[in-house]
Amino acid sequence: MCGIAGIFKRHGGEIDRDILQRMTDALHHRGPDESGYFFDNGIGFGHRRLSIIDLASGQQPMLTNDRRVALTYNGEIYNFKSLRGELESLGYRFETNCDTEVLLQAWVEWGPQCVNRLRGMFAFAIWDANREILFLARDRLGIKPLYFGFASDDSLVFG
């Protein structure tokens, strides 16, 4: 169990770091092991981690090496080992043994269609600066919930 939080401003602008930190702190009970943040123009992710798979690495939000794609994720991808093998056969290299990195690279390879390959319980947010897309998804049964709404300044907030 982890906790994710985020703020997105469609037209860009600075994210209020204090608000995002308070949103993330409210999820401490879901992930007491670590916290992390990602900020870019018009986007901010917060993450609370409960370390289960790959205790030494897998910190979040996780970014691609070029820092153009960021992921905050809660859940477990049951078939991440087979997806990893498929991605490795396509030339991807992995620095961790966690399902988070597999999900991140699956997005890079397949974009929104990556969700059709996932088996498990999950809720995640991806900011892809290359495609200029914020993508939110949850598992088909809603085992891992994903809530979102709009703030008074028209920002999308989620957790």
Side-chain angles (χ1 to χ4, degrees):
M1 180 167 59
C2 295
I4 66 173
I7 302 171
F8 175 67
K9 294 183 175 189
R10 271 190 306 184
H11 304 292
E14 190 170 335
I15 299 300
D16 187 322
R17 291 172 184 256
D18 183 56
I19 290 174
L20 186 59
Q21 183 172 357
R22 284 186 280 145
M23 290 169 62
T24 306
D25 287 348
L27 300 169
H28 181 268
H29 65 285
R30 294 188 59 86
D33 295 329
E34 294 176 341
S35 64
Y37 298 90
F38 165 78
F39 294 96
D40 200 358
N41 182 32
I43 187 77
F45 288 167
H47 187 84
R48 291 298 315 193
R49 183 174 189 219
L50 177 64
S51 302
I52 296 174
I53 298 175
D54 195 1
L55 305 181
S57 58
Q59 286 74 20
Q60 293 186 52
M62 185 176 279
L63 284 71
T64 53
N65 288 336
D66 65 2
R67 303 184 58 82
R68 302 285 295 162
V69 181
L71 165 70
T72 185
Y73 152 70
N74 171 36
E76 184 177 356
I77 307 300
Y78 304 140
N79 63 330
F80 83 95
K81 289 181 181 178
S82 63
L83 289 173
R84 179 182 172 134
E86 187 175 352
L87 289 162
E88 286 174 331
S89 74
L90 295 170
Y92 288 85
R93 299 292 170 251
F94 292 85
E95 297 176 15
T96 71
N97 293 312
C98 66
D99 57 351
T100 305
E101 188 178 15
V102 171
L103 177 54
L104 182 63
Q105 299 302 354
W107 170 269
V108 171
E109 180 63 28
W110 299 302
Q113 296 305 313
C114 72
V115 296
N116 297 327
R117 297 171 176 268
L118 304 178
R119 303 294 172 260
M121 54 181 179
F122 54 85
F124 66 86
I126 290 183
W127 168 245
D128 187 330
N130 297 319
R131 294 177 172 125
E132 296 184 343
I133 292 174
L134 171 65
F135 187 80
L136 304 175
R138 68 161 174 79
D139 62 83
R140 291 158 193 80
L141 297 177
I143 296 169
K144 295 295 183 182
L146 181 62
Y147 300 99
F148 61 92
F150 291 93
S152 60
D153 68 351
D154 201 34
S155 295
L156 175 72
V157 294
F158 62 88

